[in-house]
Amino acid sequence: MKKRMMVTGADGFLGSRIAAYYEKKYEVIRTGRSDLDITDEYAVAEFLKEKNPAAVINCAAISDVGTCEKNPELSEAVNLHGTVNLAKACKESGSRLLFMSSDQIYAGSKLERPNLETDHIPLINVYSRHKKQAEEKILELLPHGICLRLSWMYDFPVRGLKSSNNLLVRLLKAMLQNQAVSLPVHDYRGITWVQDVVKNIEPAMELPGGVYNFGSEGTCSSYETGIRVLGMLAHNEDRRELVLPNDDGFAGGARNLSMDIGKLRSHGLDFPETVSGFEKCLKNSPEYVMTLLR
């Protein structure tokens, strides 16, 4: 009999891919906004009592930082209280909870190195504050809970799965439409192929409880990464005019979202460095890329 895996936010970019990838091995219970309101504590408790999943992968979130700033009550309801409701229900059911947190927790970092899970970073926006509070509440309720701080992710559009305007899609559109994309030069971060995140979810279920940076390392700016990936897509043809440097974003002080994943590696899990991750993604999808760029 297959183990049950519950995926919240299963209609979203990451959740839809996790559900699709693991459905052959697990009995996947997919929930979206129309299936389960995670802000309803009673409904969440009853749902988990009935389904009794071995693991709950919480991808449900209001993930747009701007939306959270404009509507902090909504962010608090979903990103904080909804997560706490799941943690309480997992405590009762004995389910393992994996919470998808964010590298936005590091948005206030002034460090000149990749950020560690133990660094004390000022929380400068609503989204990061609620994600950090959710991590803390989870670990109070569930010392064995797993909080995974994810980076910006990318993937090709896949039929039947939620797409997004991620970096790879933006660069492909730039080439197809011959229309330049603007990327910030003062924004330093790792960017991760979502399929690497998906494949690492199962081994992450065996991690000791705690917070983990969970994505590709990278110290290049978004602009530098964009130029390098464009070179791969153009097969080294010089098309750098399609990536414009945005000098205005974060001009008051560079943003450092880069993560050190040494803690994760110490438990046997790893991610390729950002540019290497793009190389891996494109190598695994050559026919798709050639069709788009033909």
Side-chain angles (χ1 to χ4, degrees):
M1 186 174 179
K2 292 181 179 179
K3 287 185 177 180
R4 289 183 174 178
M5 172 192 287
M6 175 176 160
V7 181
T8 68
D11 50 358
F13 178 71
L14 175 59
S16 63
R17 285 162 172 78
I18 290 174
Y21 184 81
Y22 288 105
E23 63 185 358
K24 290 183 180 179
K25 186 172 182 179
Y26 291 82
E27 181 185 339
V28 176
I29 304 164
R30 304 169 183 243
T31 67
R33 295 178 186 177
S34 60
D35 308 298
L36 178 65
D37 179 4
I38 65 170
T39 68
D40 184 334
E41 183 176 354
Y42 177 78
V44 171
E46 289 300 302
F47 191 90
L48 263 74
K49 186 184 298 183
E50 177 188 348
K51 302 298 185 183
N52 193 30
V56 174
I57 316 299
N58 181 23
C59 301
I62 305 298
S63 57
D64 184 84
V65 175
T67 298
C68 293
E69 289 297 316
K70 294 175 183 176
N71 195 340
E73 293 82 9
L74 176 63
S75 175
E76 183 175 27
V78 176
N79 295 332
L80 177 54
H81 297 313
T83 300
V84 172
N85 290 340
L86 285 165
K88 289 177 179 177
C90 284
K91 184 176 182 179
E92 291 300 315
S93 67
S95 306
R96 195 82 196 270
L97 176 63
L98 277 73
F99 169 57
M100 302 301 111
S101 191
S102 173
D103 64 355
Q104 287 292 331
I105 285 173
Y106 301 124
S109 175
K110 300 301 180 184
L111 299 172
E112 295 184 0
R113 59 162 173 77
N115 297 283
L116 296 165
E117 296 89 343
T118 52
D119 290 327
H120 296 287
I121 308 297
L123 301 171
I124 64 171
N125 57 52
V126 169
Y127 179 67
S128 64
R129 184 165 67 250
H130 289 153
K131 283 291 188 179
K132 184 67 163 57
Q133 290 173 342
E135 290 179 353
E136 292 168 351
K137 291 290 187 181
I138 285 171
L139 295 177
E140 284 178 15
L141 291 162
L142 298 169
H144 64 285
I146 306 295
C147 303
L148 305 176
R149 292 180 180 172
L150 306 178
S151 73
W152 190 15
M153 294 175 288
Y154 61 89
D155 199 7
F156 295 103
V158 178
R159 183 174 297 175
L161 301 180
K162 176 75 172 181
S163 190
S164 74
N165 193 32
N166 57 73
L167 181 58
L168 179 58
V169 168
R170 292 173 68 184
L171 292 172
L172 286 168
K173 285 181 179 177
M175 291 192 66
L176 290 167
Q177 300 170 3
N178 198 35
Q179 187 170 350
V181 61
S182 175
L183 295 172
V185 300
H186 303 295
D187 183 35
Y188 298 88
R189 66 192 313 177
I191 309 175
T192 311
W193 186 20
V194 71
Q195 296 300 330
D196 285 329
V197 172
V198 169
K199 291 172 184 177
N200 271 333
I201 288 294
E202 185 176 46
M205 294 180 192
E206 305 304 320
L207 289 169
V211 177
Y212 297 87
N213 289 334
F214 201 75
S216 291
E217 293 180 323
T219 56
C220 291
S221 70
S222 297
Y223 170 72
E224 292 168 330
T225 299
I227 288 288
R228 295 178 71 176
V229 176
L230 185 70
M232 299 177 207
L233 291 170
H235 302 288
N236 297 317
E237 178 186 347
D238 189 359
R239 300 297 308 279
R240 68 182 61 197
E241 79 278 0
L242 291 176
V243 179
L244 302 178
N246 177 353
D247 293 300
D248 296 328
F250 314 108
R255 183 172 73 165
N256 173 22
L257 297 179
S258 62
M259 302 188 297
D260 183 311
I261 64 169
K263 180 180 177 181
L264 190 70
R265 286 199 185 101
S266 72
H267 293 283
L269 278 71
D270 203 358
F271 286 87
E273 181 274 336
T274 291
V275 174
S276 297
F278 275 101
E279 290 174 344
K280 176 183 173 184
C281 173
L282 297 180
K283 184 178 180 181
N284 279 271
S285 311
E287 293 182 8
Y288 190 83
V289 176
M290 292 306 296
T291 300
L292 285 173
L293 300 181
R294 188 173 298 153

